[in-house]
Amino acid sequence: MFLSKLSIVNYKNISEADLAFSPKLNCFIGHNGEGKTNLLDAVYYLSFCRSSCSVTDANVMRHGADFCMLSGRYVNDDGDDDDISCGMKRGQKKHFKRNNKEYKRLSAHIGLIPLILASPADTVLIDGGSEERRRLMDVVISQYDAAYIDALNRYNKALQQRNSMLRAEAEPDDDLISLLEEQMAEHGEVVYAKRKAFIDELAPLFQNFYSSISQDKESVSLCYQSHCQRGPLLDVIRRDRFKDRAVGYSLHGIHRDDLEMLIGGYPIRREGSQGQNKTYVISLKLAQFEFLKRIRGGVRPILLLDDIFDKLDAGRVEQIVRIVGGDGFGQIFMTDTNREHLDQILCGSALDYRLFLVENGEIRRKEDDDV
């Protein structure tokens, strides 16, 4: 699947754009703050019904604008078209449509257009809290497993209700809180099993990509940690109800799951250099791409690479260029402030590509006679 055309009106600093893309490689050049990342975020929005930056819908509208519109035409592997559009007015809910038919639930759209984004913000996977690493799992699994989304939503609803009872002044009703714990355990076990299966398959893919990019200079690992590994989840949740009541929230459950990220056997958060951290998260994203492609029967996700070469030495840049330029990848959107990186990719490449210049929110295709 690839995005053939994209129309943007009032999205962040992009007032208007109508773009036609290559089914393979699309490169965007511009200084920082000109709108390259905003363009990729618009593509991301059409896949996930939200911004990758965790901002509210009101904040994706251009300053001073009262509405925003995105529209993309996608071509699948059979050559069939899908028109996806989103419109929103300030202060009102957004409307997401597929071929002019509005979705009743936005979750029904997730997974239609598989997509992986790699950006400088990904270092939060290493530096940030466990919620960032859980989000990594949620974003990928939700693209191919609707039952996962349902189980996760049901778990979170029961968790919120249990936490409300734990914070209340009155002693919680034993029957009601027991019922909520049973719901958390039932849906939490489903989430755990799907997360575990995902990481079990993702980890070796990730290690292979890291090995290729680093040229075997370091060894890395990725391990899933969950309270479900301590025994039946219902027992684990109920075991410390008294302590939960004292602190006012649930201390145990799949909402505390985490990923242990190691380099050379030690936490990369503590031991990794900037280049190693960047290599780690890029390898994770490439592994997610390969995983989604396999589980979807060879359908290649759209790959967004936002300024990924910063902090990497020439050898690692060369290896990444070699990997993403291979036949295993489909449509790629790539941004950079450094023209040399893109020239290195394009020089001698047989890939079909288009080059775009981005300046102050305006995007135009670079023709051969442009300076």
Side-chain angles (χ1 to χ4, degrees):
M1 177 174 285
F2 68 92
L3 175 61
S4 62
K5 294 181 180 180
L6 175 67
S7 295
I8 302 174
V9 179
N10 295 333
Y11 193 85
K12 297 190 174 181
N13 78 326
I14 304 172
S15 60
E16 188 173 0
D18 287 290
L19 305 166
F21 299 125
S22 162
K24 289 299 293 183
L25 184 60
N26 300 277
C27 302
F28 302 87
I29 303 171
H31 297 299
N32 291 327
E34 299 293 341
K36 304 186 305 299
T37 296
N38 293 341
L39 171 67
L40 296 196
D41 195 56
V43 178
Y44 184 98
Y45 201 107
L46 285 176
S47 278
F48 292 100
C49 308
R50 61 176 176 80
S51 168
S52 65
C53 306
S54 298
V55 297
T56 64
D57 286 331
N59 288 331
V60 305
M61 293 188 202
R62 191 167 63 92
H63 292 311
D66 293 324
F67 73 98
C68 168
M69 291 189 67
L70 297 174
S71 178
R73 171 161 291 182
Y74 295 83
V75 181
N76 65 27
D77 291 349
D78 295 324
D80 298 325
D81 291 343
D82 260 323
D83 289 320
I84 305 299
S85 63
C86 177
M88 64 186 92
K89 294 183 179 179
R90 197 171 296 279
Q92 300 181 23
K93 77 167 192 173
K94 59 192 170 194
H95 298 275
F96 235 91
K97 298 180 180 180
R98 178 184 180 187
N99 298 325
N100 292 319
K101 184 177 180 180
E102 185 166 355
Y103 284 101
K104 293 181 179 179
R105 295 183 302 114
L106 294 180
S107 60
H109 176 69
I110 307 302
L112 177 68
I113 307 163
L115 181 146
I116 296 295
L117 166 66
S119 77
D122 291 331
T123 54
V124 74
L125 292 170
I126 294 174
D127 302 330
S130 60
E131 67 274 8
E132 301 293 344
R133 294 178 284 278
R134 288 192 297 275
R135 184 168 178 264
L136 177 151
M137 295 187 281
D138 296 342
V139 165
V140 179
I141 302 173
S142 65
Q143 292 189 65
Y144 64 87
D145 193 334
Y148 179 83
I149 303 175
D150 183 65
L152 184 62
N153 288 339
R154 290 175 182 273
Y155 175 89
N156 285 334
K157 183 178 180 180
L159 170 66
Q160 291 168 4
Q161 291 175 318
R162 183 178 190 265
N163 284 346
S164 293
M165 294 185 71
L166 292 171
R167 289 191 297 267
E169 291 186 11
E171 194 65 26
D173 179 83
D174 188 72
D175 290 339
L176 180 54
I177 200 169
S178 293
L179 177 61
L180 293 173
E181 289 165 348
E182 289 171 5
Q183 292 175 352
M184 287 174 62
E186 177 187 354
H187 302 301
E189 294 278 9
V190 173
V191 171
Y192 166 72
K194 293 178 182 293
R195 284 178 177 174
K196 183 179 184 303
F198 166 58
I199 296 300
D200 284 348
E201 189 167 343
L202 183 78
L205 296 174
F206 155 70
Q207 289 173 317
N208 287 338
F209 277 116
Y210 192 100
S211 177
S212 296
I213 296 172
S214 70
Q215 300 177 74
D216 295 320
K217 289 183 179 177
E218 303 107 22
S219 63
V220 292
S221 62
L222 180 70
C223 301
Y224 176 36
Q225 298 177 325
S226 175
H227 290 152
C228 287
Q229 294 158 347
R230 300 180 181 179
L233 185 56
L234 182 58
D235 293 345
V236 174
I237 293 171
R238 284 181 171 168
R239 191 176 300 153
D240 285 324
R241 187 194 291 177
F242 181 79
K243 190 180 296 183
D244 292 353
R245 173 75 169 143
V247 298
Y249 57 88
S250 302
L251 291 167
H252 297 91
I254 54 99
H255 62 286
R256 305 297 292 268
D257 285 1
D258 204 351
L259 293 174
E260 183 182 54
M261 299 178 167
L262 303 179
I263 184 167
Y266 297 95
I268 191 168
R269 177 195 295 231
R270 190 177 69 233
E271 299 290 328
S273 67
Q274 286 185 320
Q276 289 170 332
N277 289 357
K278 194 73 176 281
T279 303
Y280 199 101
V281 295
I282 290 173
S283 299
L284 267 178
K285 291 308 180 83
L286 294 179
Q288 291 172 41
F289 174 96
E290 184 63 27
F291 174 87
L292 274 179
K293 184 176 73 171
R294 290 185 182 186
I295 204 162
R296 294 177 67 103
V299 175
R300 292 172 293 189
I302 295 171
L303 181 62
L304 310 183
L305 302 175
D306 187 19
D307 193 22
I308 65 168
F309 298 120
D310 186 40
K311 305 291 190 302
L312 294 176
D313 59 48
R316 298 187 185 221
V317 170
E318 182 180 349
Q319 293 304 313
I320 293 173
V321 168
R322 179 186 61 80
I323 291 170
V324 301
D327 294 336
F329 288 82
Q331 188 178 39
I332 300 172
F333 292 81
M334 181 179 295
T335 73
D336 208 304
T337 57
N338 187 337
R339 176 64 188 273
E340 292 180 4
H341 289 151
L342 298 181
D343 283 342
Q344 181 183 358
I345 295 169
L346 301 176
C347 181
S349 173
L351 290 177
D352 179 73
Y353 71 88
R354 293 187 184 180
L355 196 59
F356 298 85
L357 303 179
V358 184
E359 185 175 4
N360 194 28
E362 295 186 2
I363 305 156
R364 66 181 179 90
R365 185 176 175 186
K366 182 184 182 303
E367 305 296 345
D368 292 338
D369 58 352
D370 284 338
V371 177

